[in-house]
Amino acid sequence: LGQEMGVWINNSDGVTPAIGKSLPPGYSVFPDYTNPRTVEWWTQLCLEFKDVLDYDGIWIDMNEPSNDLTGQLPGCAANDINDPPYIPSITDHSLAQKTLCPDSRTYLGEHYNTHSLFGWSQTAPTFHVVQQATGKRAFVLSRSTFVGSGKHAGHWLGDNKSQWKDMHYSIIGMLEFNLFGIPFVGADICGFSSNTTYELCLRWMQLGSFYPFSRNHNAEGNAAQDPAVFGAEFAKIARATLRIRYSLLPYLYTLFFESHVHGNTVVRSLMHEFTSDQQTHGIDTAFLWGPAFMVAPVLQEGARSVDVYFPEATWFDYYTGRKIPSTWHKTYATVYAPLNKIPLFIRGGHILPEQAPASTTTKSRLNPFGLIIALDEHGEASGSLFWDDGDSIDTIENENYFLAKYTFSAGHLKTEILKNGYRGADSLKYNKITILGLKLRPHAVAVNGGAVRRDAFSYELNGVRAPSS
Ligand SMILES: *[C@@H]1O[C@H](CO)[C@@H](O)[C@H](O)[C@H]1NC(C)=O
Ligand SMILES: *[C@@H]1O[C@H](CO)[C@@H](O)[C@H](O)[C@H]1NC(C)=O
Ligand SMILES: CC(=O)N[C@H]1CO[C@H](CO)[C@@H](O)[C@@H]1O
C-alpha cells in the first residue's frame, strides 16, 4: 500500500525508494512522515491494527531514522551534500552513519535538512490516530524527539548500558528533557545493553521509581533484570520504592497538569529552585519533583551513604518526617542509605497530595487521599491537587476536572475549590493528613468546626511520639 501511495523516502532521483536495514530480518524502506500522503497511510494502518491488537498507546522506535548501514543501498554518492565542508565529530565522520544519505528526498526537502524531524513528524500523527482508535487520551513514546515533541509524546533516553555512570547520566538527561518541554521522560531502568548486577539494578529501581516515565527495559539476550528475578529481598525493596512513587502520584499528576497548562518542568534541578545559591549550579546527582520533593539516589557501587546538599529551606526526611538540622543547610551532609533505602526529602512550605497505592491506577484512584503538609519556618505551606478521570481527551479544555488549592497558616488548613468539574472526585475522601514541622503540641483538632476524636490524631514532639489516648 505504501508503495502504491508513494509514501517512502526516496533516493536522490526522487522516484525510487531508499532501501536500508532497520530491525531484522530483512531490508527496510522508510516512511516519509513529512508527506501528508504518509500520514493518511499511517493512520489507516494504525486503525486497522487496533482490530489485530487492542492497544492503548504506541511506542515508536528507530525513528532517527535508524539504519544498520551507512546510508541506503548501494551507498552514498560523492557530492557536496553527502560530504559537506563541515561534519561534526560523529562516528565514522559521516552524516550517513546509521541513517540515510543526506541527499535522499523527503516531501519537505533533502534528508540533510529534515533528518532531525523524522521522529517529530511521526509523533503528532501517531498521537492523533491513537486517540481516534481508542477514544482515549493517547500514550505515545518516541525515541527520536525534537522541539515540540512533548506536546504529543514522552521520551526514553535511548539505548544506555547497564553501568553505574549511565545511571548517573540519566539524571542529566531527565533534567535536560524537562527544559526541552518533554517532561514525560526516563531511562531504561537497570540499563539496556550488557548484563546488569544485583546492586546496580536495585539502586536503579530506586532511582527509576522517580523517573516521570518509569520503565525497566532490557536488550534481547541479556540476563533477566525484572524486579522479581533477584529474589524476595530485592522485590521487597523495589516494591516499597515503587509504592512511594504511586502514593505520590496525585502530586506528580498535578505537576504534569501545571506543565501542560503553564509549561513548567515536572522534574527540575536544585539550581532551578535555588538559582541564587551558586553551590546548586553544578548538582546533577539529586533532583526535585516540582518545588517540593528531593530525590538523592545512591549512584556508586558499594556506597551505603549519599552526600546530599541542602539549600537554605526547611527540609524533612520523607521516611521519618523529622526536620533536617539547620546546621546541614548550604552544605553537604552525609545521609545514611543502606541497600533498602533511597534518600528522599520534603521541602517545607509545600503541601503534597497523596493517595494509597494499589496494583493498578484503576484501583488506586478509588482509594482515599492524604495530604503531607510540610511547614516552613513561619508555620505556613501551600499546594494544589489536580484530578480528572485520567484518560479521557481534553479534560482541561472541556473543564472536566477538579482543582483544589490548599493553604496552611496559623494552625489552619484551608481548601479552596478552583474547579469542580469532575464528578468522580465527589466520592473521594481524605483519610490522613500529616503535618510536619509543628512547633507546639496540638491540643485539639477540628474539621469544619467539629472536634476530631482524640484517638483520631497522634503527634510526635522532639522525636517522642505521644500515643493517641
Ligand atoms: C517518491 O517516489 C514516489 C514514486 O515511487 C513518488 O510517488 C513520491 O512522490 C516520491 N516522493 C518524494 C518525496 O520524492
Ligand atoms: C549475559 O547474560 C546472558 C544470560 O545469562 C549470557 O548468556 C551472556 O553470556 C551474558 N553476557 C556477558 C557479556 O556476560
Ligand atoms: C552506551 C549508551 O548509549 N549510553 C547512553 C545511556 O543513556 C544516557 C542518557 O541517559 C546517554 O548519555 C548515554 O550515552
Side-chain angles (χ1 to χ4, degrees):
L1 179 62
Q3 183 68 22
E4 206 177 287
M5 291 176 73
V7 304
W8 317 129
I9 295 182
N10 290 329
N11 290 313
S12 60
D13 63 12
V15 286
T16 58
I19 296 178
K21 250 182 151 177
S22 194
L23 292 169
Y27 289 93
S28 313
V29 286
F30 298 81
D32 169 20
Y33 295 94
T34 71
N35 186 339
R37 295 279 282 161
T38 310
V39 173
E40 274 175 51
W41 166 83
W42 181 242
T43 303
Q44 183 184 332
L45 290 192
C46 291
L47 289 175
E48 285 173 11
F49 188 57
K50 182 72 164 57
D51 296 329
V52 178
L53 183 78
D54 186 19
Y55 60 79
D56 294 304
I58 295 184
W59 165 14
I60 47 181
D61 198 352
M62 309 294 280
N63 51 358
E64 288 75 21
S66 179
N67 174 17
D68 282 347
L69 313 171
T70 297
Q72 61 266 38
L73 298 173
C76 307
N79 59 36
D80 285 354
I81 189 167
N82 288 337
D83 309 296
Y86 172 73
I87 293 178
S89 174
I90 52 179
T91 320
D92 289 355
H93 217 67
S94 162
L95 291 181
Q97 209 263 345
K98 290 254 177 191
T99 191
L100 299 175
C101 303
D103 66 359
S104 308
R105 290 294 166 81
T106 68
Y107 180 84
L108 279 188
E110 273 146 336
H111 180 227
Y112 180 91
N113 290 320
T114 63
H115 172 79
S116 301
L117 296 173
F118 187 98
W120 178 87
S121 61
Q122 186 186 17
T123 304
T126 306
F127 175 84
H128 293 304
V129 70
V130 171
Q131 303 216 132
Q132 198 184 330
T134 63
K136 289 185 177 170
R137 197 177 307 167
F139 169 76
V140 176
L141 180 67
S142 182
R143 192 168 78 179
S144 170
T145 49
F146 195 72
V147 178
S149 291
K151 186 169 179 186
H152 299 119
H155 176 78
W156 87 103
L157 292 166
D159 295 351
N160 61 5
K161 227 171 166 176
S162 300
Q163 49 187 9
W164 290 84
K165 70 177 162 87
D166 281 28
M167 177 167 68
H168 174 200
Y169 295 160
S170 75
I171 298 176
I172 301 167
M174 178 172 57
L175 292 172
E176 287 175 338
F177 270 81
N178 271 268
L179 295 177
F180 301 159
I182 308 173
F184 196 31
V185 62
D188 287 345
I189 295 172
C190 299
F192 178 71
S193 60
S194 76
N195 288 338
T196 195
T197 64
Y198 181 101
E199 189 174 335
L200 172 63
C201 192
L202 184 62
R203 292 307 197 183
W204 213 326
M205 282 302 301
Q206 291 172 325
L207 164 60
S209 293
F210 301 98
Y211 290 155
F213 175 66
S214 179
R215 179 185 71 163
N216 177 320
H217 182 54
N218 200 0
E220 214 174 359
N222 288 346
Q225 62 180 36
D226 64 83
V229 83
F230 294 101
E233 181 61 21
F234 186 109
K236 187 176 150 199
I237 297 167
R239 194 180 298 117
T241 317
L242 285 166
R243 283 176 72 88
I244 297 172
R245 169 196 181 80
Y246 290 127
S247 71
L248 288 172
L249 219 49
Y251 177 59
L252 184 63
Y253 198 54
T254 302
L255 292 171
F256 269 100
F257 159 74
E258 281 162 12
S259 169
H260 179 78
V261 172
H262 307 294
N264 297 6
T265 51
V266 169
V267 164
R268 57 188 74 150
S269 63
L270 288 163
M271 172 181 80
H272 194 128
E273 285 289 319
F274 299 93
T275 313
S276 58
D277 179 350
Q278 297 222 359
Q279 289 201 80
T280 62
H281 293 191
I283 297 177
D284 57 19
T285 48
F287 59 92
L288 298 161
W289 270 13
F293 184 71
M294 187 186 355
V295 180
V298 176
L299 299 170
Q300 269 155 20
E301 186 162 21
R304 296 293 179 268
S305 66
V306 186
D307 291 338
V308 182
Y309 183 79
F310 291 97
E312 190 62 57
T314 304
W315 294 98
F316 299 92
D317 181 302
Y318 171 80
Y319 298 93
T320 62
R322 302 218 176 112
K323 200 185 264 185
I324 299 304
S326 56
T327 49
W328 289 12
H329 290 176
K330 303 199 77 168
T331 171
Y332 281 89
T334 302
V335 173
Y336 186 49
L339 267 187
N340 65 0
K341 187 177 159 192
I342 175 170
L344 303 170
F345 305 93
I346 297 178
R347 180 180 173 190
H350 297 274
I351 299 179
L352 285 68
E354 54 176 354
Q355 186 169 38
S359 52
T360 69
T361 51
T362 307
K363 287 184 179 170
S364 68
R365 58 183 296 106
L366 303 172
N367 286 345
F369 280 110
L371 293 176
I372 302 174
I373 303 175
L375 302 180
D376 65 11
E377 64 274 27
H378 310 296
E380 295 180 347
S382 62
S384 54
L385 168 67
F386 170 85
W387 200 241
D388 66 1
D389 70 5
D391 63 7
S392 62
I393 297 170
D394 291 341
T395 54
I396 294 165
E397 294 78 352
N398 299 327
E399 304 189 32
N400 292 328
Y401 65 94
F402 174 86
L403 182 65
K405 183 175 180 347
Y406 307 107
T407 36
F408 189 98
S409 175
H412 291 270
L413 169 67
K414 192 174 102 183
T415 306
E416 259 176 286
I417 311 288
L418 303 181
K419 176 66 70 185
N420 195 7
Y422 172 49
R423 295 283 60 84
D426 295 350
S427 53
L428 288 173
K429 298 189 170 97
Y430 300 95
N431 74 341
K432 190 178 176 200
I433 297 193
T434 308
I435 304 173
L436 307 177
L438 276 181
K439 290 203 173 88
L440 299 170
R441 187 165 83 86
H443 290 280
V445 176
V447 174
N448 293 337
V452 167
R453 287 199 343 251
R454 181 61 191 85
D455 61 1
F457 69 93
S458 64
Y459 62 90
E460 194 184 283
L461 267 188
N462 305 321
V464 182
R465 177 173 283 267
S468 37
S469 55

